[in-house]
Amino acid sequence: MCLSFQTFWKPNGLPEQITFKIRGTTLYGLFGVPELSCPEGFQEAQERSLQETERLVQKACTTPPGKEIVMIFDQLSDALCRVADLADFVKIAHPDFAFREAAEEACRSIGTMVEKLNTDVDLCQSLRKLLADKGVMESLDPETRRVAELFMFDFEISGIHLDEEKRRRAVNLNVKILDLCNEFLIGSHLPNKVDKHILPEHIRHHFAVEGNYAQISGLNADSPDDLVREVAYKVFLYPNAQQLHCLEELLTSRNLLAQLVGYDTFAHRALQGTMAKTPGNANCEICQDKYSTLKDFEMMKGMKMKLNPIKSVSYILHLLFLNLNEYNIEPSLYCPFFSLGACMEGLNILFNKLLGISLYAEQTEKGEVWCEDVRKLAVVHEQEGLLGYIYCDFFQRPDKPYQDCHFTIRGGRLKENGEYQLPVVVLMLSLPHSTSSLPTLLTPGMMENLFHEMGHAMHSMLGRTRYQHVTGTRCSTDFAEVPSILMEYFANDYRVVNQFARHYKTGQPLPKHMVSRLCESKKVCAAADMQLQIFYAVLDQIYHGKHPLEKSTTEILKETQEKFYGLPYVPNTAWQLRFNHLVGYGAKYYSYLMSRAVASMVWKQCFVQDPFDRAMGERYRREMLAHGGGKEPMLMVQGMLQKRPSVEDFVDALVSDLDQDFETFFMDSE
């Protein structure tokens, strides 16, 4: 029995045609891990992981210098990541609190072990002997040499060179930072409450009401009602003293750790091994881009004059709302053409033409998934066969974070028996459920986000490295976003959209003039969005720069917003307390700008003439996707573009996307 994508994404739908073969296997527990059929299984899984870790550490310390050392280190990394990565997802996404709690404890236990290993002198010495043996190092292949160097880099930034007392302090700081990150993430998603009687009666229905309180859990930025957006903004972003203290502690602890292990600031430590390499280079790109973009931003002045920032406080999305009106763009007009099934078919078509890859819907076993509406895809290459699995957690549910994310559950690697350990990932979205009469319909923004996250998934599937330490998206942060952002260009090209956008009732294709208006509206808003990204990136760099900070995080936010974004700060708000990217992207938020610049160059040079060019698709896989983090990121970019881009090239690529005459997004399909 098989399922088409159109029926696959309708929970109660029965398949009407056979399109995809189901490759079912008997699996028990979450993701097929037998122990994880119940929350207590996390304890068993982590104990087994720690036992295997102890065995591998002893083995590494007694093995002479050679390739086997690198393989043992990677096995060690895999033993820990198999539990930590899975738990990292479960602790925020599982609907059962007991599972979330058990996963969080597993994360903390494994994280503590990782920090201890990163300051283990004997373990480090076994790797140092290998790196010091020039003859052996020269005999290793480039990927193995790089992985060995990356493992040593982990030791160095953790303070392996320090005395025992300082190493202990480094471990304690790292553990404290892990706890603070978790606390900050949880706090960033918590709703704020307000007495419902304070709110005008005619807008109360826009918010969840419990007893006498209205819960504000987001910005309601897509609401056409100014007052709803104003209330949501001011209440949701109202300062929380506990969250503010958590952020201050996190920034201070990161700075203490960085200085303890020999760096001027946390930003200097975080940018080691990236394309930017130093905060100076990151700031150079941000600031050059800022001044270039200001010139292009002049076209937004007319819109800014319409905007009362106190009355309509969700700034960028309000600008977008005004812009959609000007271009007669109403998302609801587009949704009928973007059913989830149609969008998935579109991705399948694109990947098949570009990379020879098909997405096969698979039946899951009992206990394998955490919610009945989670779907599983097998990723299959036309010649190489099964590449890995993608679990699609696409639908809204209570207590599920409202964010779009890609999670690595298991990294790919070449195992000791010669078999390849297949990668497993989760894509998490927040889409509405289908009904008995209506399939899940996506707005243009939701469709673009789906393509973005699937770009991460393909990176994980095709980054088939020998070592899991560098598999798929385990690469420098400012390179990891390139494949996902590149997919946004495909999502906004009419030739791609025309392959799948069909009205769910009539089958009518999306008219070209509607795509044209949509894409033109995006170009007008692109300058404002660029300003917003610059503001975020600069703020992140300041927070992780020289300490102690000269002012409070809120005062810094106000000054930075007014200097780099241009729209005024709203009193008694603290947006930074909802900025959860400060956890995973601390000192690295600039990566979105750098990755967008690279993606723009790749699109214009390699795909703008033909988004289905198989030769370019194979080159993209060979030069950029296949290496994961096993190759210097700038060398991968150079291989794809056939040149090494300069800072000026990065800036020019970003600014060129704002050019109103640039026809990237709308190409004639005839």
Side-chain angles (χ1 to χ4, degrees):
M1 174 181 162
C2 301
L3 302 173
S4 71
F5 277 124
Q6 292 290 353
T7 56
F8 187 61
W9 300 101
K10 187 174 180 182
N12 298 319
L14 295 175
E16 297 178 356
Q17 58 180 346
I18 294 178
T19 54
F20 297 131
K21 179 181 178 183
I22 291 180
R23 297 170 170 79
T25 55
T26 302
L27 299 172
Y28 306 95
L30 292 174
F31 300 103
V33 179
E35 296 89 345
L36 300 185
S37 58
C38 62
E40 293 74 21
F42 270 106
Q43 181 66 32
E44 184 179 348
Q46 74 185 49
E47 287 177 359
R48 188 181 68 249
S49 172
L50 295 176
Q51 288 172 1
E52 187 176 359
T53 295
E54 185 178 347
R55 178 184 66 81
L56 288 168
V57 168
Q58 292 177 353
K59 185 177 181 181
C61 292
T62 56
T63 299
K67 183 177 180 179
E68 188 181 359
I69 284 288
V70 183
M71 295 175 66
I72 294 170
F73 267 76
D74 194 64
Q75 292 169 34
L76 182 58
S77 174
D78 184 61
L80 294 166
C81 288
R82 279 203 311 270
V83 177
D85 289 342
L86 191 156
D88 202 40
F89 167 73
V90 172
K91 75 178 183 181
I92 69 165
H94 203 289
D96 186 332
F97 176 77
F99 265 101
R100 296 199 302 271
E101 189 175 44
E104 185 175 328
E105 178 55 36
C107 280
R108 194 177 194 282
S109 175
I110 298 296
T112 301
M113 174 55 72
V114 169
E115 299 308 332
K116 288 180 178 178
L117 292 177
N118 283 340
T119 56
D120 187 313
V121 174
D122 293 335
L123 185 62
C124 178
Q125 188 61 25
S126 67
L127 185 63
R128 187 170 277 138
K129 289 177 182 177
L130 169 64
L131 293 170
D133 193 323
K134 292 184 179 180
V136 174
M137 286 296 290
E138 288 175 358
S139 70
L140 302 178
D141 61 273
E143 184 182 33
T144 301
R145 285 200 301 271
R146 176 167 171 79
V147 171
E149 291 165 355
L150 287 173
F151 277 122
M152 180 54 70
F153 173 70
D154 288 340
F155 280 118
E156 290 170 349
I157 65 171
S158 297
I160 193 67
H161 54 285
L162 303 175
D163 60 40
E164 185 176 356
E165 189 271 330
K166 288 182 178 179
R167 289 200 306 273
R168 191 180 302 110
R169 281 175 55 198
V171 170
N172 291 337
L173 274 171
N174 268 308
V175 172
K176 181 180 180 180
I177 289 169
L178 287 173
D179 290 340
L180 288 168
C181 284
N182 187 56
E183 180 184 343
F184 186 81
L185 272 179
I186 293 172
S188 70
H189 295 296
L190 291 178
N192 275 343
K193 294 181 180 181
V194 63
D195 190 324
K196 70 178 182 182
H197 299 101
I198 296 176
L199 305 181
E201 190 171 350
H202 72 280
I203 70 168
R204 291 177 193 169
H205 69 279
H206 289 278
F207 309 107
V209 176
E210 291 185 3
N212 290 324
Y213 293 94
Q215 284 202 100
I216 316 298
S217 56
L219 296 177
N220 286 58
D222 55 354
S223 173
D225 190 315
D226 284 358
L227 186 57
V228 170
R229 292 196 305 277
E230 179 181 2
V231 167
Y233 192 95
K234 288 182 175 179
V235 175
F236 187 64
L237 299 184
Y238 190 79
N240 177 289
Q242 184 176 344
Q243 184 77 343
L244 185 61
H245 177 72
C246 178
L247 175 59
E248 291 169 348
E249 279 287 295
L250 175 59
L251 296 178
T252 299
S253 297
R254 282 175 167 173
N255 182 71
L256 288 173
L257 175 64
Q259 293 190 333
L260 178 63
V261 299
Y263 293 92
D264 291 340
T265 68
F266 183 79
H268 284 87
R269 179 180 184 268
L271 267 61
Q272 291 292 304
T274 64
M275 286 194 287
K277 297 189 182 299
T278 69
N281 288 338
N283 284 318
C284 181
E285 183 193 350
I286 292 168
C287 291
Q288 283 200 42
D289 178 56
K290 180 256 179 184
Y291 292 117
S292 298
T293 307
L294 276 176
K295 185 169 60 178
D296 296 73
F297 196 62
E298 292 297 312
M299 64 185 175
M300 300 299 294
K301 281 185 176 178
M303 294 176 113
K304 287 166 69 177
M305 293 301 289
K306 301 177 192 178
L307 178 63
N308 180 336
I310 302 301
K311 195 169 184 179
S312 300
V313 264
S314 189
Y315 299 124
I316 182 62
L317 285 159
H318 183 65
L319 281 171
L320 178 58
F321 180 72
L322 290 172
N323 190 37
L324 296 185
N325 284 342
E326 181 177 334
Y327 278 83
N328 193 26
I329 303 298
E330 170 54 50
S332 64
L333 297 177
Y334 288 79
C335 292
F337 295 92
F338 294 137
S339 69
L340 179 55
C343 293
M344 293 302 297
E345 291 281 8
L347 286 164
N348 198 42
I349 292 168
L350 176 63
F351 293 146
N352 189 261
K353 290 185 175 184
L354 204 59
L355 298 162
I357 284 173
S358 297
L359 306 175
Y360 288 83
E362 285 210 355
Q363 198 79 347
T364 57
E365 301 293 336
K366 183 178 181 181
E368 183 181 353
V369 296
W370 48 101
C371 190
E372 63 179 7
D373 58 22
V374 174
R375 300 291 182 259
K376 181 183 179 183
L377 299 178
V379 181
V380 181
H381 189 270
E382 60 191 13
Q383 294 180 339
E384 300 167 32
L386 183 62
L387 299 180
Y389 293 101
I390 303 171
Y391 288 83
C392 302
D393 187 357
F394 283 175
F395 301 105
Q396 299 169 355
R397 63 175 174 269
D399 296 327
K400 178 182 177 182
Y402 193 83
Q403 62 188 86
D404 299 339
C405 297
H406 162 275
F407 294 87
T408 297
I409 301 300
R410 184 178 71 196
R413 71 181 182 101
L414 187 63
K415 296 194 289 187
E416 298 70 53
N417 60 7
E419 296 179 0
Y420 197 81
Q421 177 173 289
L422 297 178
V424 176
V425 304
V426 172
L427 296 189
M428 188 170 77
L429 305 177
S430 298
L431 303 179
H433 281 277
S434 62
T435 66
S436 58
S437 60
L438 197 68
T440 294
L441 301 178
L442 280 63
T443 64
M446 290 175 179
M447 182 271 285
E448 185 178 284
N449 286 348
L450 171 62
F451 272 62
H452 177 104
E453 298 304 333
M454 194 60 78
H456 284 308
M458 283 301 108
H459 197 183
S460 291
M461 296 297 110
L462 293 173
R464 292 176 72 81
T465 54
R466 181 181 304 167
Y467 304 102
Q468 79 85 37
H469 192 64
V470 292
T471 185
T473 57
R474 298 196 204 280
C475 56
S476 72
T477 308
D478 53 9
F479 182 81
E481 291 295 330
V482 172
S484 55
I485 293 175
L486 181 61
M487 283 296 291
E488 296 176 18
Y489 287 87
F490 286 98
N492 287 288
D493 187 280
Y494 179 75
R495 296 162 296 180
V496 176
V497 174
N498 190 47
Q499 296 286 315
F500 68 90
R502 299 288 185 273
H503 196 285
Y504 76 97
K505 283 185 176 179
T506 66
Q508 173 192 357
L510 181 65
K512 185 188 292 187
H513 73 272
M514 289 181 67
V515 179
S516 177
R517 289 205 307 272
L518 179 64
C519 293
E520 287 302 315
S521 74
K522 289 189 175 187
K523 282 190 267 184
V524 171
C525 279
D529 184 60
M530 190 74 73
Q531 287 283 318
L532 189 64
Q533 293 300 312
I534 292 166
F535 159 48
Y536 291 167
V538 172
L539 183 68
D540 176 44
Q541 287 294 306
I542 294 173
Y543 280 170
H544 291 99
K546 186 178 180 181
H547 274 243
L549 297 175
E550 295 181 357
K551 299 179 180 180
S552 73
T553 59
T554 302
E555 289 172 319
I556 292 170
L557 168 74
K558 178 180 182 295
E559 289 185 1
T560 307
Q561 178 172 327
E562 293 180 352
K563 180 178 180 181
F564 286 89
Y565 191 28
L567 290 170
Y569 163 80
V570 176
N572 296 316
T573 62
W575 171 84
Q576 77 275 19
L577 304 184
R578 302 289 184 178
F579 191 21
N580 52 44
H581 280 83
L582 289 174
V583 172
Y585 282 72
K588 297 180 182 179
Y589 195 88
Y590 79 91
S591 298
Y592 284 104
L593 288 169
M594 184 166 278
S595 291
R596 182 165 294 280
V598 173
S600 176
M601 288 187 275
V602 171
W603 172 258
K604 293 166 192 172
Q605 183 172 317
C606 305
F607 296 111
V608 71
Q609 295 302 320
D610 179 7
F612 303 110
D613 188 327
R614 181 63 181 270
M616 281 298 175
E618 292 297 336
R619 178 165 144 190
Y620 175 50
R621 178 184 180 181
R622 181 178 65 252
E623 297 292 345
M624 297 190 81
L625 297 180
H627 304 287
K631 189 175 181 179
E632 187 77 27
M634 194 61 81
L635 292 179
M636 291 189 275
V637 175
Q638 183 175 337
M640 188 68 194
L641 299 177
Q642 304 295 294
K643 62 170 285 190
R644 190 178 184 90
S646 64
V647 170
E648 290 74 19
D649 291 328
F650 285 117
V651 174
D652 289 344
L654 290 170
V655 174
S656 69
D657 278 1
L658 306 180
D659 186 348
Q660 291 298 286
D661 297 324
F662 185 58
E663 295 297 330
T664 296
F665 294 104
F666 181 64
M667 298 291 293
D668 192 339
S669 63
E670 299 176 355

